[in-house]
Amino acid sequence: MIQPLQLIERHAAEWHAATHHSFLQAVSNGSLAPQAFSAWLVQDYHFAQGELAFQARLLAQAPRSDQALIINGLIAMNAELSWFESKADEFQLSLHDPALPVTVAYGEFMHGLEHAAYPVALMSMWAIEYAYLEAWKTALPGSPKYREFVERWTNPAFQTFVGELEQAAAAALSSFEADKEVDAAFLDIARLEREFWDMAWSQALH
């Protein structure tokens, strides 16, 4: 019966690749071109739509003890989408630009979690949120032109939410013995997170 933080210890190299990336370093030092950040923002909007749908499906599986936490996640994700839309208006971006293949693949992975055991799906929600938090921490404090974003995605409320998710996932995994399923999902998330940042960085280099 593996616990959430043990997954990071077990797969440290994959986790590091998922949460430390040149894209975030360029956000931190201000060298990232605004056009590249804008292109990433559109893809992250598509990802957030997929995550909202994933969390809604997870809520339908959740025991009563976890429902309030997942509802809080849904409320926050819905607010996040509204914020993305306001930023798109501010930057004159088209959120109708298509999702790129890596974004589509990540969305399909989350959709597939509908068929996973609940502890695996809840651990996945934690891993996705924690990877995002840890990645943005590497960009602290952020250059002035990106600081608003860095601070938004490392704020104390988000950190508290991720901690609560970790506790809930640990409780769900405490009586779940299919470690191979947990491992496989965690490694898929680490890979997809890295590929998502790779995609963003590739756009920045062109």
Side-chain angles (χ1 to χ4, degrees), residues 2-199:
I2 195 164
Q3 291 294 286
L5 293 180
Q6 289 176 315
L7 288 162
I8 295 174
E9 294 173 5
R10 180 181 291 188
H11 305 295
E14 292 88 350
W15 182 256
H16 187 274
T19 57
H20 294 70
H21 202 281
S22 299
F23 184 91
L24 281 308
Q25 182 60 39
V27 169
S28 179
N29 63 30
S31 63
L32 185 70
Q35 306 95 298
F37 187 81
S38 295
W40 169 83
L41 202 64
V42 172
Q43 294 305 306
D44 206 42
Y45 175 77
H46 288 306
F47 171 82
Q49 288 181 309
E51 189 177 0
L52 181 71
F54 160 53
Q55 291 182 11
R57 291 189 297 269
L58 185 61
L59 179 62
Q61 303 175 41
R64 183 75 181 89
S65 58
D66 290 345
Q67 288 176 356
L69 179 61
I70 297 171
I71 288 169
N72 286 342
L74 283 163
I75 292 170
M77 189 57 64
N78 189 59
E80 189 74 0
L81 286 168
S82 296
W83 187 75
F84 272 121
E85 289 158 4
S86 71
K87 287 298 164 185
D89 287 342
E90 180 181 333
F91 299 152
Q92 297 183 319
L93 304 178
S94 173
L95 295 176
H96 299 292
D97 288 351
L100 295 177
V102 170
T103 312
V104 172
Y106 211 157
E108 289 175 347
F109 167 79
M110 289 189 289
H111 192 273
L113 289 169
E114 182 177 8
H115 306 293
Y118 176 73
V120 176
L122 184 62
M123 180 284 300
S124 297
M125 181 176 171
W126 162 77
I128 290 166
E129 297 285 6
Y130 193 33
Y132 200 70
L133 172 62
E134 290 294 286
W136 282 102
K137 280 184 177 180
T138 71
L140 283 169
S143 69
K145 61 184 173 181
Y146 299 123
R147 188 159 297 156
E148 174 188 5
F149 299 90
V150 177
E151 290 179 350
R152 181 178 182 87
W153 293 321
T154 57
N155 72 78
F158 184 36
Q159 295 190 54
T160 297
F161 173 67
V162 172
E164 291 170 348
L165 268 179
E166 181 193 321
Q167 293 174 8
L173 290 170
S174 64
S175 58
F176 187 71
E177 298 182 354
D179 283 1
K180 287 185 179 179
E181 292 180 38
V182 179
D183 253 357
F186 182 84
L187 284 169
D188 278 339
I189 290 165
R191 173 181 57 80
L192 287 161
E193 285 287 325
R194 176 185 54 75
E195 289 176 355
F196 196 82
W197 293 118
D198 286 348
M199 171 194 67

